[in-house]
Amino acid sequence: MTSAAGPIRVLIADDHPVVRRGMSALLSSLDGVEVVGEAATGEEALREAQLCRPDVVVMDIQMPAMDGVEATRRLAARLPDVAVLVVTMFEDDETVVSAMRAGARGYLLKGAQQEDILTTIRSVAAGQFVMAPRVAARLLGHLHQAPAPAAPPFPELTGRELDVLDRVARGYSNARVAADLSVATKTVANNLSVIFTKLGVSGRAEAVILARERGLGEGTPGSGP
């Protein structure tokens, strides 16, 4: 990495020439930053990084041939001392997580203020991890959300059929199930026949095993007649 006395050496990777020139002009105007190269594709970013050994690569996500995420992954493997700062318009969770997993040390959105860009470049060059406040807030919000409810077992079964199967998995006899659900014993037998067909099992024993594997039948086994 750069010495304390020298400027932070930056390589800019973006497929839009206007964006590259604009970013280059912006960074070149900042004290303590030196733009040492530019690249228009992920492959060029890898090649230029190996040639000029920057401290930080400012990396776009959407580029031809090799996108920024893959380029980041390969850079992290080949040049682990080079920090990658993703600067992009994409702020969806999948892109953010993919970039950070690939090895990016920072994630900023295009349009960030000059002072935020400089601060982030200095931070990632020093080994810190930085994320745009808006992106970080949304990801934290997702982490604090209640987990989605588990999908119910056997969605092909009706509510009554699930009730019957749950009790059979507890060890209840047909008569005990019928009494528990206030239905006729014959109704329980008919329900079981439909359940066996829907689950593709040959009989009661297989149904019980399958039901218990899916979390049904928890409780004290019955001892009905």
Side-chain angles (χ1 to χ4, degrees), residues 18-105:
V18 174
V19 174
R20 284 202 312 276
R21 287 195 293 267
M23 181 65 73
S24 179
L26 171 62
L27 296 182
S28 296
S29 70
L30 301 177
D31 291 335
V33 176
E34 178 186 1
V35 177
V36 295
E38 296 181 13
T41 68
E43 292 176 343
E44 287 182 12
L46 286 174
R47 184 174 65 249
E48 291 299 317
Q50 293 180 85
L51 289 174
C52 61
R53 296 301 175 104
D55 301 307
V56 177
V57 176
V58 174
M59 184 80 74
D60 188 23
I61 288 292
Q62 194 171 53
M63 293 186 290
M66 181 190 299
D67 66 19
V69 172
E70 180 60 26
T72 297
R73 183 177 294 110
R74 298 191 187 190
L75 266 174
R78 299 179 188 180
L79 301 172
D81 289 338
V82 176
V84 175
L85 168 60
V86 171
V87 180
T88 180
M89 67 178 64
F90 297 101
E91 55 179 305
D92 59 284
D93 298 343
E94 182 179 354
T95 301
V96 175
V97 172
S98 295
M100 301 309 284
R101 283 179 174 170
R105 293 188 193 169

Side-chain angles (χ1 to χ4, degrees), residues 160-177:
R160 172 50 58 86
E161 289 164 355
L162 276 174
D163 289 339
V164 170
L165 181 59
D166 179 60
R167 285 161 175 78
V168 168
R170 295 186 191 187
Y172 290 7
S173 67
N174 285 10
R176 173 72 182 275
V177 175

Side-chain angles (χ1 to χ4, degrees), residues 196-218:
F196 297 160
T197 299
K198 286 184 176 181
L199 299 187
V201 297
S202 60
R204 195 184 196 93
E206 285 187 33
V208 168
I209 293 172
L210 187 59
R212 289 179 177 174
E213 288 177 349
R214 300 287 185 87
L216 296 182
E218 295 181 354

Side-chain angles (χ1 to χ4, degrees), residues 157-165 168 174 177-178 181 183-198:
L157 301 184
T158 66
R160 172 50 58 86
E161 289 164 355
L162 276 174
D163 289 339
V164 170
L165 181 59
V168 168
N174 285 10
V177 175
L181 297 178
V183 298
T185 303
K186 184 177 180 180
T187 299
V188 173
N190 289 338
N191 286 152
L192 283 173
S193 178
V194 173
I195 290 169
F196 297 160
T197 299
K198 286 184 176 181

